[in-house]
Amino acid sequence: SPPGLLLLTSFLLHVEEGRASPTRLVCDNRLIQKYIMEAKDMEKTVGQCQVLPTLSCPMALPLVDFSLQQWKSKSNETKQREILCDLALLVGAVAGAQGQVTQECGARQLSQLYRHANSFLRLLQTFSWEAGPWEPSCSPRSVEQTHITGIFLTYRQLVQGKLCFFFHDLAKDLCK
């Protein structure tokens, strides 16, 4: 099945009156576990590609590490904005790296990563909060990366960390 198809299907199945319902998406934690496994698989596969080139133009990647204590003190809206900022920067980095990688294996994996990360970005943008729509005016903490594998590591850490905890936090409120 094409990458991102499950995410798109989940999104389409959970649209209510033109808005995505995060309730059904986060209440089944098998979904986030599947995304974590896909991220790990992509990272492993790109690591097995033959001699990946170093990026001639470094890509800015979000620093996705976080303090659990600080994370717990943030509102779900703030968490969502932070993840959206991280995803927007990551999607841009993947797009930039795609323009520099011609090696088939690396290019194929970057294309898959772009589809996955961009699907998450679009999906999270549809979650509605009282404060109104998300605006892409943010500047997350970032680091420059010249190794393609670092892009995949960042994505896995984002899905396994902030996104997983965000879905968990939403589930506590929405899945009673």
Side-chain angles (χ1 to χ4, degrees), residues 42-149:
M42 284 189 289
E43 184 181 19
K44 179 180 175 186
T45 302
V46 80
Q48 294 170 345
C49 291
Q50 299 293 326
V51 191
L52 290 168
T54 299
L55 299 173
S56 56
C57 177
M59 295 293 115
L61 293 176
L63 289 171
V64 294
D65 60 320
F66 65 102
S67 155
L68 192 54
Q69 187 174 10
Q70 286 179 342
W71 183 257
K72 288 180 177 183
S73 70
K74 296 177 181 181
S75 70
N76 283 343
E77 180 184 4
T78 301
K79 293 172 187 175
Q80 178 195 19
R81 281 204 176 106
E82 191 173 311
I83 293 168
L84 283 168
C85 286
D86 290 344
L87 277 168
L89 185 59
L90 182 65
V91 166
V94 174
Q98 282 179 304
Q100 297 182 52
V101 176
T102 56
Q103 189 241 22
E104 185 182 346
C105 179
R108 187 173 52 247
Q109 291 307 306
L110 281 167
S111 178
Q112 182 180 14
L113 177 59
Y114 180 85
R115 287 190 304 271
H116 280 242
N118 201 40
S119 292
F120 260 128
L121 180 64
R122 287 193 317 263
L123 181 69
L124 288 177
Q125 286 173 342
T126 67
F127 285 9
S128 55
W129 303 99
E130 294 75 26
W134 175 71
E135 296 296 328
S137 58
C138 59
S139 52
R141 298 178 308 130
S142 63
V143 63
E144 298 229 320
Q145 178 63 260
T146 57
H147 298 285
I148 296 167
T149 53

